[in-house]
Amino acid sequence: MHDQTRRLQHAAPVRTALDRILDKKTNERGFRLGLKGERKVAQDLNMLPDSWHALHSVPVGTRGADIDHVLVGPAGVFTVNTKYHPDAKIGVGGDTFKINGRSTRYVKTARDEARRASSILGGVTGMRVEVIGVIALAQVSSKIPPEPQF
């Protein structure tokens, strides 16, 4: 994500600066805020006890894709997909994850990343490795409703 953010910023530095001042919703903004969230979650994961091991921005495939974080510890192996939505209303219920009332693909993505990591780890170890997908919300405001409103 860092490379994508930097590439977009360098491609049009003046436009990027103006878009930031105007707080326009651009691809660069999305990547920049996503990177901010990933760094915060990485910082938090790195504070876990020594029995836990966190890997960050783990590359998968050949197209520049990565898994935000892979966490390995006494409770198992987890892929952590970070999301950063400052001041958003979050709704979660079953397989549904909403941001400000809009459905997302976050649950599907988290499960897909876990399956991909499981397959890769299984191929390397020759054993079945169960991986659980997790969605981490970085710096979410206190506007989370007590019960999802769908």
Side-chain angles (χ1 to χ4, degrees), residues 15-34:
R15 180 178 199 106
T16 299
L18 285 173
D19 289 343
R20 274 181 148 177
I21 292 168
L22 299 173
D23 198 29
K24 289 181 78 175
K25 294 188 178 184
T26 63
N27 284 340
E28 184 274 334
R29 178 182 183 269
F31 285 122
R32 181 172 32 86
L33 292 179

Side-chain angles (χ1 to χ4, degrees), residues 44-64:
D44 293 345
L45 292 175
N46 287 337
M47 293 174 59
L48 288 169
D50 290 341
S51 57
W52 287 92
H53 304 280
L55 304 169
H56 310 291
S57 298
V58 178
V60 290
T62 58
R63 296 183 180 184

